[in-house]
Amino acid sequence: MSDDESSVDSVSSEEVEKEEEEITDLSNSDVCTKYQEAARIANLAITGLVSQIKPGATALSLCTFGEAVITSQVAKLYNKKVDGKSIEKGVAFPVSISVNECVCNNSPLSSEEQLGLNAGDIIKIDLGCHIDGYISVAAHTVIVPPSTDAPVEIPASAEDIGDVAVAAYNAMLVASAAIKAGAKNSDVTAAVEKVAAAYGVNPIAHVRMHQMKRFVIDGVKEVALRTPAPEDEEEKLAECTFETNEVYAVDVAMSSGDGKVKEADQRVTIYKRNVESNYRLKMKASRYVLNEVNAKFPTLPFTLRMFDDERQAKMGITECVNHGLVVPYPSLVEKSGSTVAHFKCTVLVLPSGPSRVTGLGIPEYFKSEKSPDDDTTKILEEIRIKAEKKAAKKKKKKNKK
């Protein structure tokens, strides 16, 4: 064999042995498909939960129902092992059912006392699904009807819910359209504030939109719903620019109150592992929790309800929090008497523009006599026309089959 032949064989061998770097953004069509499949399941879970909301239903029963839908649906997909390993999939954010003034993160434990929902309660559903770490999230707001088949009645105590809900939903749509390559997070904040002002409501200060990556639900790039006041300078976010092939959770919550929420006076049940922190725990229950988290929930949020031993989990989580091993997601509440609405969708920043892949339509009983400004109205009309064309194209394609 000549030296040249030997050299060629050596190079070929190196090329075969060298691992190709995995592409984990939307430029990979397989990644895009996984986001879309996770989105389909998230929408399916939200739709199912809406049908289950009625007087007497409990937040716990709804949470377990929603998570069961996600788990059963992902079990049907991607069951072929890759390099001898199963593809991870399932709940990316625990189902939470937040009632009235509660904005988010209410995901009760089975060991806690459960109160049934009442007709007229305003319910915020929040959840996430992932396939292979590619996350799609969604949130939706509804009102509990008097009975399963009866039309929803707007409660006298929340007559302004129409303004709040329409503002939150329209702000979500406008923000989704604004997250395009080259735009900045401050552009989106300004668009959301403009919608809120038109409807006379306030964005919830603590709620933010986040970039999402594989197994990362709260990415570095963030979008505030409102510009921080001078005294809240620490709340100011670093400016960032959106890029093609990124993914965002467009999270919007509005209130008839001042939008300055506080942590609820109840047990925190949702947490996320802080992968940058380690500590040798003292308590046996704490070590049990950390071992379970590292094995089952190493990167994405979880609820203590997901542990086999809930009692041990409640005992051990405190030490984990105290030493920064997990990050809590407390329930947030507005002032009593305030009306709150929450909508969230997942947006893929594609070369063709932003694509909203999760989120249901706003319930028809949410109406407002107020109107957005001319620029916002034009954007909403463009979104409506685009959605109608997409639906017609989908229907035509379905009829051909």
Side-chain angles (χ1 to χ4, degrees), residues 17-65:
E17 291 177 4
K18 183 181 177 181
E19 275 190 28
E20 291 185 10
E21 186 176 344
E22 188 174 5
I23 298 173
T24 59
D25 66 17
L26 296 175
S27 63
N28 183 336
S29 61
D30 290 339
V31 168
C32 200
T33 299
K34 288 172 182 175
Y35 274 117
Q36 290 169 333
E37 284 295 330
R40 180 184 63 79
I41 294 170
N43 285 337
L44 187 66
I46 291 271
T47 302
L49 280 163
V50 170
S51 72
Q52 297 295 310
I53 290 176
K54 54 189 176 183
T58 65
L60 174 63
S61 66
L62 293 168
C63 288
T64 53
F65 172 85

Side-chain angles (χ1 to χ4, degrees), residues 143-400:
I143 296 176
V144 180
S147 61
T148 304
D149 300 320
V152 165
E153 298 174 3
I154 303 297
S157 60
E159 292 181 345
D160 50 6
I161 182 59
D163 292 338
V164 178
V166 172
Y169 189 79
N170 283 348
M172 180 191 73
L173 295 181
V174 170
S176 299
I179 296 180
K180 51 191 174 184
K184 299 184 184 301
N185 54 350
S186 55
D187 300 332
V188 180
T189 301
V192 170
E193 289 180 313
K194 189 184 287 188
V195 174
Y199 289 93
V201 302
N202 285 302
I204 301 293
H206 284 66
V207 175
R208 292 177 179 174
M209 306 179 200
H210 290 271
Q211 181 186 8
M212 297 189 293
K213 294 184 177 182
R214 190 182 188 192
F215 290 111
V216 178
I217 199 167
D218 297 327
V220 174
K221 293 185 179 182
E222 295 179 283
V223 181
L225 295 190
R226 56 198 279 180
T227 304
E231 62 271 20
D232 298 326
E233 190 64 24
E234 68 276 5
E235 293 289 322
K236 191 173 181 180
L237 299 179
E239 186 175 75
C240 65
T241 302
F242 309 121
E243 298 177 35
T244 302
N245 296 324
E246 292 180 337
V247 179
Y248 286 87
V250 178
D251 198 352
V252 178
M254 298 281 188
S255 170
S256 62
D258 61 14
K260 296 179 180 178
V261 295
K262 63 179 182 179
E263 292 185 13
D265 185 22
Q266 65 186 52
R267 180 190 296 277
V268 177
T269 63
I270 300 176
Y271 298 87
K272 185 183 71 171
R273 177 73 165 98
N274 179 4
V275 295
E276 296 179 354
S277 182
N278 288 290
Y279 180 80
R280 191 179 293 276
L281 296 163
K282 305 293 190 295
M283 291 176 56
K284 181 179 178 181
S286 305
R287 293 195 296 272
Y288 160 75
V289 169
L290 187 60
N291 288 338
E292 286 285 289
V293 170
N294 288 339
K296 299 178 180 179
F297 322 107
T299 55
L300 296 175
F302 59 90
T303 168
L304 301 183
R305 191 176 59 250
M306 295 174 173
F307 286 71
D308 294 332
D309 191 335
E310 192 176 288
R311 179 174 168 275
Q312 282 274 85
K314 289 194 294 184
M315 288 174 57
I317 196 67
T318 302
E319 190 182 3
C320 294
V321 172
N322 290 343
H323 293 286
L325 298 175
V326 295
V327 178
Y329 283 68
S331 295
L332 302 177
V333 293
E334 247 284 21
K335 293 180 180 65
S336 179
S338 299
T339 306
V340 176
H342 183 200
F343 292 95
K344 184 194 299 183
C345 67
T346 300
V347 169
L348 312 182
V349 186
L350 301 171
S352 58
S355 175
R356 181 166 43 91
V357 293
T358 63
L360 307 185
I362 187 171
E364 60 182 15
Y365 47 77
F366 287 137
K367 300 181 185 301
S368 174
E369 295 181 357
K370 299 177 181 178
S371 301
D373 64 279
D374 290 344
D375 288 342
T376 302
T377 299
K378 183 180 178 181
I379 293 169
L380 291 171
E381 181 64 11
E382 290 172 352
I383 292 170
R384 184 189 67 77
I385 292 171
K386 186 178 179 181
E388 286 181 353
K389 287 181 178 178
K390 185 177 179 181
K393 187 176 180 181
K394 188 176 181 180
K395 185 178 180 181
K396 187 177 180 180
K397 187 177 180 181
K398 186 177 180 180
N399 290 338
K400 282 184 176 180

Side-chain angles (χ1 to χ4, degrees), residues 69-99:
V69 170
I70 293 172
T71 302
S72 64
Q73 289 297 313
V74 297
K76 301 175 183 178
L77 303 171
Y78 293 96
N79 291 316
K80 186 177 180 180
K81 291 185 177 181
V82 178
D83 296 329
K85 295 180 180 179
S86 299
I87 290 178
E88 294 182 50
K89 52 193 175 176
V91 175
F93 191 86
V95 177
S96 69
I97 303 293
S98 304
V99 184

